Amino acid sequence: MPAPSEVRKLSDLLEVSQTLGSALDLKSALLRVLEILEEHHGARSGTVALLDEASGELAVEAAVGVSWQAARRARYKLGEGITGRVVQSGKAVVVPQVSREPLFLNRTGVWRESGKEELSYVCVPIRVDNRTLGALGVSLPYRKDRAWEQESSFFAVAGSMVGQAVRVHKLVEAERQRLLEENTQLRQELRERYDIRNLIGNSRPMQQVYEQVAQVAPSATTVLIRGESGTGKELVAHAIHYNSPRAGKPFVKVSCGALPESLIESELFGYEPGAFTDARAQKKGRFELAHGGTLFLDEVGEISPPTQVKLLRVLQEREIERLGGVRPIKVNVRLVAATNQDLEAAVKAGVFREDLYYRLNVFSIYLPPLRERRPDVPLLADHFVVKYAAAHGKDVRRIATTAIDMLMSYHWPGNVRELENCIERAVLVCEGGAIHAHHLPPTLQTAEVSGTLPRLSLEAAVSSYEKDLILDALKSARGNRAKAARLLDSTERILGYKVRKYGIDGRRFKA
Ligand SMILES: Nc1ncnc2c1ncn2[C@@H]1O[C@H](COP(=O)(O)OP(=O)(O)OP(=O)(O)O)[C@@H](O)[C@H]1O
Ligand SMILES: [Mg+2]
């Protein structure tokens, strides 16, 4: 059985360790530990000094029993005073009588404040991963018969507990710092990725889209983006957010079509514990998550009538209620919605509420289908060649003329998304530096376009390749047949024959 005083010490240590283990903030935990030593252990004062790795000096992190102003100013170099020595050597120092110890610097004013009463001082190292990163110093009233051995081992244990807490705090702090940096970097990447300059296409309709984005982005106006599937609605929604004052706040997307009816409300508005059987903890809805930022309602035409009612209410009141919640929560979100449906027809048919339609259709941006902006096709195609050549580590640099012709005459029912997939696939199957007609999917290989059958025979493939080479040479030679023949290591006569055979119009290459 330990002596009563031993039990006391053990319970003090337990309290110290619980305090350190439960506090979120290191400074207040250290302060509480010093208070425990003061209250239960008769300490007159206590300080925790930690090494500031940048300056190499020791600074007081927490103090009791001394003026905090003096403590905050106190700095020790390594080896300086008792604190500096303890940190340098990693060994505890006991000063039975402060008045007789010249090394006792009294920077925190311990002594004066105790009215010249004789004090003893114990200073123990705070160790983190085998390095001494600080010291715990405690002054006690002087008593001749103190058992210094026991006292200092008690404080040594307290010091090592503080060391553990400092270590955890440093880890958490480093992790927090890393996440912060990562977050900043990711936001930056997103911003660059969705910069309006990354929207490709300079056809008239696209220029109008850019103008509209520039016009509406700075405000908090609700925007409705319309257009067929794959025309770039989501990209434009991002561009609006990242070019708005809300760029530093979240962009939260809700795919209204992908969420089952039973989930959409809890996704949008969140819920309180007990709102329904599975709702154990509270969950924030997307509206709340987007607070300060932008909420993107994709496929908004898919929302069911009951949810339309709730959505309308949120848009009017600018506040939401979690399912099972009692009080409304104010939300500040900018709404961007997108749809590929004919909302006007849906309103007429009675499946989309007219009042909601007007709420959403404040400023609308229409993305024309790709077949109505053909001049953008080669630009987009080149952009995707660069993108996927880099992504797949391939040395594909260009698209041969016959392939471009095919891309230009196809009607692109899947719009830019289909073009993007088509080019990615072509880059993957391409074995040289250029994408040729036979690298494109069969849907594009209509006889009318390439003069080849949907599935290429050897002869057709060779012809198509030969035609590509001739077209490329003529392009480089700006339509000069003699020069083109030289580039191909052939003769002008043979070239002339092939040009006729393939029905190539040489004039289109003249500068
Ligand atoms: N102007 C453009 N410049 C570059 N890439 C584009 C452009 N338009 C669309 N894209 C690309 O095409 C793909 C489809 O675009 P997005 O997802 O924005 O289409 P969407 O209109 O939302 O289609 P859906 O209605 O099917 O959801 C994306 O990978 C996008 O990056
Ligand atoms: Mg989309």
Side-chain angles (χ1 to χ4, degrees):
M1 269 287 278
S5 70
E6 295 295 302
V7 174
R8 172 85 258 177
K9 281 179 186 165
L10 283 175
S11 84
D12 287 351
L13 286 176
L14 184 65
E15 211 180 327
V16 165
S17 108
Q18 281 168 345
T19 303
L20 290 169
S22 61
L24 288 173
D25 160 42
L26 182 67
K27 257 198 173 120
S28 48
L30 294 177
L31 202 60
R32 183 69 204 118
V33 166
L34 293 174
E35 278 166 6
I36 294 168
L37 297 180
E38 196 178 34
E39 282 161 26
H40 302 327
H41 216 80
R44 281 284 192 270
S45 72
T47 52
V48 171
L50 293 178
L51 194 63
D52 172 10
E53 301 199 43
S55 69
E57 283 186 341
L58 288 155
V60 176
E61 281 292 307
V64 295
V66 294
S67 119
W68 173 236
Q69 260 152 351
R72 204 178 46 193
R73 277 197 308 270
R75 289 275 184 289
Y76 307 89
K77 292 198 174 52
L78 274 187
E80 186 187 20
I82 292 175
T83 311
R85 290 209 165 187
V86 167
V87 176
Q88 193 175 45
S89 66
K91 293 206 176 72
V93 168
V94 174
V95 181
Q97 281 177 277
V98 163
S99 63
R100 301 213 175 154
E101 177 54 70
L103 270 177
F104 190 75
L105 299 174
N106 199 30
R107 286 217 176 125
T108 54
V110 167
W111 201 19
R112 181 169 8 93
E113 281 180 28
S114 61
K116 294 262 176 191
E117 162 199 23
E118 182 66 292
L119 292 175
S120 304
Y121 189 71
V122 190
C123 190
V124 295
I126 293 173
R127 296 177 65 79
V128 179
D129 296 332
N130 294 326
R131 291 200 311 146
T132 306
L133 287 192
L136 165 68
V138 177
S139 69
L140 301 158
Y142 170 68
R143 267 199 267 119
K144 223 193 244 155
D145 54 350
R146 253 186 215 282
W148 282 118
E149 196 91 341
Q150 284 174 23
E151 289 284 356
S152 80
S153 66
F154 167 80
F155 287 114
V157 175
S160 77
M161 285 176 172
V162 170
Q164 281 306 316
V166 171
R167 180 170 160 272
V168 170
H169 171 79
K170 277 184 188 282
L171 286 176
V172 170
E173 190 49 37
E175 180 63 7
R176 202 182 69 94
Q177 201 53 39
R178 192 187 66 77
L179 287 173
L180 258 171
E181 277 161 21
E182 185 179 279
N183 203 338
T184 317
Q185 193 205 331
L186 286 174
R187 272 190 206 281
Q188 185 57 31
E189 272 177 26
L190 278 176
R191 208 179 271 215
E192 280 163 19
R193 188 154 129 213
Y194 294 113
D195 190 294
I196 195 155
R197 281 166 295 195
N198 289 343
L199 279 164
I200 307 295
N202 55 18
S203 58
R204 197 54 225 131
M206 281 311 281
Q207 285 181 19
Q208 197 184 344
V209 168
Y210 304 146
E211 274 163 32
Q212 287 176 313
V213 169
Q215 226 175 0
V216 81
S219 68
T221 310
T222 301
V223 183
L224 180 62
I225 308 170
R226 324 201 38 177
E228 286 180 13
S229 181
T231 45
K233 296 184 293 296
E234 186 160 349
L235 212 56
V236 167
H238 275 107
I240 292 174
H241 173 72
Y242 287 103
N243 286 285
S244 80
R246 294 166 179 258
K249 292 282 161 58
F251 176 92
V252 177
K253 170 180 163 177
V254 186
S255 300
C256 305
L259 285 170
E261 179 54 33
S262 55
L263 277 184
I264 189 152
E265 281 178 30
S266 65
E267 277 300 320
L268 284 176
F269 310 125
Y271 51 75
E272 293 292 344
F276 44 89
T277 332
D278 288 337
R280 297 224 171 73
Q282 179 202 71
K283 180 185 152 100
K284 283 190 180 178
R286 307 264 171 114
F287 263 98
E288 266 180 273
L289 294 175
H291 187 65
T294 303
L295 185 72
F296 176 45
L297 289 177
D298 203 7
E299 298 165 63
V300 76
E302 307 277 327
I303 297 185
S304 73
T307 312
Q308 288 176 27
V309 179
K310 302 216 165 131
L311 185 60
L312 181 69
R313 216 187 43 226
V314 176
L315 299 187
Q316 276 163 350
E317 318 281 330
R318 295 277 155 191
E319 53 186 32
I320 56 143
E321 245 168 68
R322 295 191 190 129
L323 300 186
V326 281
R327 67 190 171 86
I329 301 165
K330 281 255 169 257
V331 284
N332 165 11
V333 297
R334 192 234 189 116
L335 209 70
V336 175
T339 182
N340 55 19
Q341 294 192 4
D342 183 351
L343 282 190
E344 290 77 11
V347 168
K348 276 215 188 81
V351 287
F352 200 84
R353 290 184 65 104
E354 191 171 9
D355 39 12
L356 179 59
Y357 168 75
Y358 285 119
R359 279 270 161 194
L360 293 175
N361 195 17
V362 181
F363 187 102
S364 91
I365 297 182
Y366 172 66
L367 286 166
L370 192 53
R371 63 183 170 278
E372 286 173 20
R373 41 177 165 122
R374 292 200 190 263
D376 289 347
V377 171
L379 296 178
L380 283 161
D382 282 341
H383 168 75
F384 294 133
V385 167
V386 173
K387 175 172 167 186
Y388 289 107
H392 299 299
K394 298 203 63 162
D395 194 24
V396 183
R397 301 219 187 109
R398 57 193 192 86
I399 307 172
T401 315
T402 42
I404 293 201
D405 288 346
M406 284 170 69
L407 295 173
M408 286 295 279
S409 42
Y410 183 60
H411 60 294
W412 300 111
N415 294 297
V416 185
R417 181 181 291 113
E418 188 182 5
L419 174 60
E420 180 167 2
N421 293 340
C422 164
I423 299 292
E424 178 172 17
R425 175 183 177 277
V427 167
L428 279 172
V429 298
C430 183
E431 60 293 320
I435 291 174
H436 291 279
H438 62 278
H439 295 128
L440 298 178
T443 39
L444 273 74
Q445 316 265 3
T446 57
E448 178 201 0
V449 175
S450 57
T452 56
L453 296 164
R455 290 190 60 218
L456 290 180
S457 64
L458 174 65
E459 198 187 337
V462 170
S463 301
S464 146
Y465 190 55
E466 190 175 50
K467 185 179 172 191
D468 271 348
L469 291 176
I470 295 171
L471 282 167
D472 285 346
L474 281 168
K475 207 181 198 175
S476 311
R478 292 171 186 267
N480 180 330
R481 275 197 204 170
K483 210 166 162 191
R486 273 201 302 282
L487 284 174
L488 291 170
D489 223 355
S490 180
T491 65
E492 209 178 333
R493 194 182 58 80
I494 294 179
L495 194 73
Y497 160 72
K498 304 257 181 200
V499 162
R500 273 193 305 284
K501 176 178 165 196
Y502 295 124
I504 296 170
D505 178 7
R507 278 170 307 182
R508 66 188 264 201
F509 303 110
K510 296 249 166 20

